Amino acid sequence: GGLSDEILSGTVKYIGANQGGIYVVNDDDGQDIFMEMTACYAWDRKKYLDKKIYKGEGAIGEVWAEGLGLYMQNVPSDYVNITSGLGEAPPRYIYILPLVSNEMVCGVMEFALFKGLGEHQKIFLEKLSEVIASTISHAKTAQRTEGLLRRTRYDAEQMKAQEEVMLQGMEELQAAQEAMKRKQKELEIANEKLEQNGKALKMAAESARQRELEIIGQYQQVQIITQQEMEKKMQELEKSDKCSLE
């Protein structure tokens, strides 16, 4: 970012370099870990911005893999060109040093120079690399912490949403259970009424049967009395006929 560019610019000027770059390890995807340029001075940023450098790949990848600084003299002409008012020319010296924090390489600094570095400049760069490495490490930790916090907040919101859905479901279930209880109560009342009506019908049927039996009994009794009276009348008539013949 801007701060990295400012630090790099000041460092390049302080050590008398012509170009500089900072590369940081990108381990967001555990399956694809690489270094990418995050700051540069006098380099074509667009050329390196999307470039991925893997461990052991080229001079930067080698420093990453070994965790040791690399000081190159008589740099090959195709390594990099330094642009100045006089045109393009290859640097004579390249100095690459790892950014180490907690015994882990988290990045690399690279400088291209026309002239060599003095011992005090190398010591300065080593001290500076420790500060930058610590800053990068803390920034990554803060970034991970922020990511965890975001994830925690997201999970909490998801859980809250799920709880609300569950609560709504429980309320709906409770309402359905209450409705079912009401229906069950209504059904019990209807069954009681049917049972009462059944008992009433049974009593009415028994009463009707009893009445029917009473009527049949009365009818039979009347028939018996009538028959007896008729027999009595017949006997009287027979007696009357005998008397008249005598």
Side-chain angles (χ1 to χ4, degrees), residues 34-187:
F34 57 90
M35 272 195 186
E36 58 187 351
M37 179 182 277
T38 59
C40 68
Y41 178 84
W43 251 313
D44 184 358
R45 182 188 288 269
K46 291 181 181 177
K47 185 176 180 181
Y48 295 95
L49 194 61
D50 297 326
K51 186 178 180 183
K52 294 181 178 181
I53 300 171
Y54 291 93
K55 188 177 284 190
E57 198 175 78
I60 293 172
E62 183 183 335
V63 170
W64 178 11
E66 296 180 1
L68 300 172
L70 178 65
Y71 190 53
M72 297 169 58
Q73 300 181 51
N74 300 319
V75 179
S77 59
D78 61 348
Y79 187 84
V80 66
N81 286 339
I82 294 175
T83 304
S84 67
L86 300 175
E88 292 190 353
R92 292 183 62 194
Y93 303 92
I94 294 290
Y95 187 42
I96 306 171
L97 68 162
L99 303 174
V100 181
S101 176
N102 298 322
E103 300 181 355
M104 292 286 292
V105 177
C106 60
V108 161
M109 284 200 300
E110 181 182 29
F111 298 97
L113 312 97
F114 279 131
K115 61 181 181 179
L117 286 172
E119 197 62 32
H120 69 285
Q121 291 173 318
K122 289 181 180 179
I123 292 171
F124 166 76
L125 288 175
E126 286 173 4
K127 296 295 182 185
L128 179 63
S129 72
E130 292 174 6
V131 174
I132 293 175
S134 178
T135 303
I136 291 170
S137 179
H138 284 121
K140 280 181 170 287
T141 302
Q143 189 178 8
R144 288 193 184 98
T145 303
E146 186 181 352
L148 286 171
L149 286 171
R150 280 200 302 269
R151 181 67 189 176
T152 302
R153 282 197 294 266
Y154 175 78
D155 289 344
E157 289 172 0
Q158 289 293 104
M159 284 181 66
K160 186 179 178 182
Q162 289 175 0
E163 284 176 3
E164 289 175 355
V165 170
M166 286 178 65
L167 183 61
Q168 184 179 353
M170 287 176 66
E171 288 174 353
E172 290 175 356
L173 180 63
Q174 188 176 358
Q177 286 176 341
E178 289 175 357
M180 195 165 74
K181 284 180 181 178
R182 286 197 299 272
K183 289 290 183 184
Q184 190 174 358
K185 188 67 178 176
E186 291 173 2
L187 187 63

Side-chain angles (χ1 to χ4, degrees), residues 204-218:
E206 289 176 355
S207 178
R209 178 61 181 165
Q210 187 66 31
R211 182 62 182 158
E212 183 183 358
L213 291 173
E214 288 176 1
I215 291 169
I216 290 171
Q218 289 175 357

